[in-house]
Amino acid sequence: MSANIKQQYHDVIHTKLEDAQLRKNLLSVMDTLKGNRKKLISTRFLDWEVLREKGKEIKQKNLSKLDVLLETFESNARKNGFIVHWAKNSEEANNIVLEVMQKNHITKILKGKSMASEETHLNAFLKAKGLEPIETDLGEIIIQLIDEPPVHIVAPAIHKNRYQIGEIFHQKLGAPLESEPEKLNEIARTHLRREFQEFKLGLSGVNFAIANEGAIWLLENEGNGRMSTTACDIHIAFCGIEKVIESFEDASTLNALLIPSATGAAVTCYNNIITSPRKEGELDGPKEVHIILLDNNRSQMLSDSHYYRALSCIRCGTCLNHCPVYDKIGGHAYLSTYPGPIGEVISPQLFGLNKFSPMLDLCSLCGRCSEVCPVKIPLAELIRDLRSERVGQGRKSVVGTDSSTQNPAEIKAMSQFATLATSPNKWRFALTMANIFAPLGKIFAPFTPLLKNWVKYREFPKINGNLHKKVSQMQGVIYE
């Protein structure tokens, strides 16, 4: 890992911490989402924890036989008339889209929300080829207009308030300056209607791919996803291989967990279940549907008996909503498609630990993410274990694991601390010295290299007097 990567993280985090408007916007939305979720769970569910346990079991069951389910899905999907593609990595997935566009002489594609296509950087790829990708999700429209990536995996533009969005529409679309949500929605709707009237190719993500039926299930709240998948001649669906689920019954249980966790609502406005392209005699739907099954190191994750649990994620985003670090810096500070706690777990595994290990520091290990995850992924535990991978003490099975992530000075310091903390006499002596010199440390901290960075954003820790005596007294009580 280069020093340049570390510096990029340092710079962007520093910038976001100084952005008071960003923190205000995030806090407002996070509080709303958390409040809605808590209220819904307490009023609409008899036993939410039992449902969480059921969701965990379903995901682990499906992941345990994912190889079989993928083959079953492919077979049934082909029987239904779908064209199924396998993509080992981002390059292959993007090239499949390019080939479909070139074969059909299409230069423009309208996109429903798809984090998998964000993962492969499809938009940048198509633009480099002279083609035009157009986002249709409201949040995605906003950030595309200002050339930013999503800040959240569910709500891409929550870092912008309605006044800022009004300015964006005014400057980029030439619309009247508005700030009321209804009028902002009208501006976006009017803008997109022109595009929907003449487009030939639409793209979507996939929430659940049902193996037994060979069908795909999409969830949305705006209707743009339905337009992107039914009003076009050709539909392409991006699907991470972990989205394949055995049955509609399993998917329904996961759906009951996903929506309350994501938005605090009981159901989404639109449930789009697509079972085939347009059949003879039907008036709606595309004539051709392509499904891209994306691996991109997911098979590597699945092969690890410990880290595979991260593939249980159903992309609800509730771990981001409850994270005390995320709501201070936002998703862009993670420098990854997937931010927040789930991003810290899957980004190093998908894209390489040597590229994304600094994001593992964006966690206080408070455990909130693990407590709220609807399928009980032990996120805090996995983040801690990935930190072990970073210093060469873990399982050494993560993509991109090499010596570049290790800091010799840090390793030496922790080794010395371990020696100190496991020796009663040395530990008591260290506490005594800390008690004596702590007042001097507070004075000189702003000028001391190691302490300088600490006190820049934190208060100097208070050292309570006679700690060594208190420890001795506690040990005496325990021994008695």
Side-chain angles (χ1 to χ4, degrees), residues 134-363:
I134 298 177
E135 299 289 352
T136 65
D137 175 85
L138 179 57
E140 294 280 359
I141 293 170
I142 295 165
I143 61 173
Q144 186 178 41
L145 288 172
I146 55 177
D147 197 26
E148 286 187 0
V151 77
H152 192 284
I153 63 177
V154 174
I158 56 171
H159 58 309
K160 301 295 183 183
N161 62 32
R162 57 194 176 99
Y163 302 102
Q164 292 171 309
I165 294 169
E167 286 284 352
I168 292 170
F169 284 172
H170 178 61
Q171 294 175 9
K172 301 295 184 178
L173 299 179
L177 186 60
E178 303 285 358
S179 60
E180 294 302 318
E182 294 82 2
K183 293 183 178 180
L184 294 174
N185 278 316
E186 183 180 353
I187 292 170
R189 185 164 54 247
T190 301
H191 166 68
L192 285 177
R193 283 296 175 184
R194 293 192 294 267
E195 303 292 348
F196 280 129
Q197 286 174 357
E198 57 185 28
F199 84 119
K200 302 296 182 182
L201 176 60
L203 181 141
S204 74
V206 174
N207 291 100
F208 307 110
I210 315 302
N212 289 348
E213 305 294 337
I216 56 176
W217 187 352
L218 286 67
L219 307 169
E220 56 156 332
N221 279 313
E222 298 175 12
N224 63 296
R226 182 164 292 180
M227 291 288 289
S228 299
T229 60
T230 59
C232 52
D233 292 333
I234 303 172
H235 168 210
I236 299 176
F238 255 70
C239 180
I241 58 174
E242 80 281 9
K243 299 293 185 71
V244 175
I245 301 297
E246 184 171 15
S247 66
F248 270 117
E249 289 76 13
D250 284 353
S252 296
T253 299
L254 296 175
N255 181 43
L257 287 161
L258 193 162
I259 306 307
S261 299
T263 63
V267 294
T268 50
C269 296
Y270 297 91
N271 281 271
N272 304 316
I273 297 175
I274 302 173
T275 58
S276 73
R278 185 195 308 179
K279 296 179 180 178
E280 186 176 350
E282 293 182 340
L283 300 178
D284 298 321
K287 300 175 182 177
E288 194 174 293
V289 179
H290 298 258
I291 301 175
I292 301 174
L293 293 171
L294 176 65
D295 189 325
N296 217 23
N297 284 325
R298 287 165 171 80
S299 294
Q300 175 72 16
M301 291 174 63
L302 188 64
S303 67
D304 191 290
S305 60
H306 184 62
Y307 293 114
Y308 85 98
R309 290 176 289 181
L311 289 173
S312 294
C313 177
I314 55 177
R315 300 293 190 269
C316 69
T318 198
C319 61
L320 283 68
N321 302 343
H322 289 79
C323 178
V325 177
Y326 177 91
D327 70 14
K328 303 297 186 300
I329 58 177
H332 292 159
Y334 293 79
L335 300 179
S336 171
T337 301
Y338 301 108
I342 187 61
E344 291 177 57
V345 172
I346 65 176
S347 294
Q349 298 186 74
L350 291 178
F351 312 121
L353 182 63
N354 52 353
K355 297 178 181 178
F356 287 94
S357 70
M359 74 189 310
L360 294 168
D361 292 327
L362 303 180
C363 174

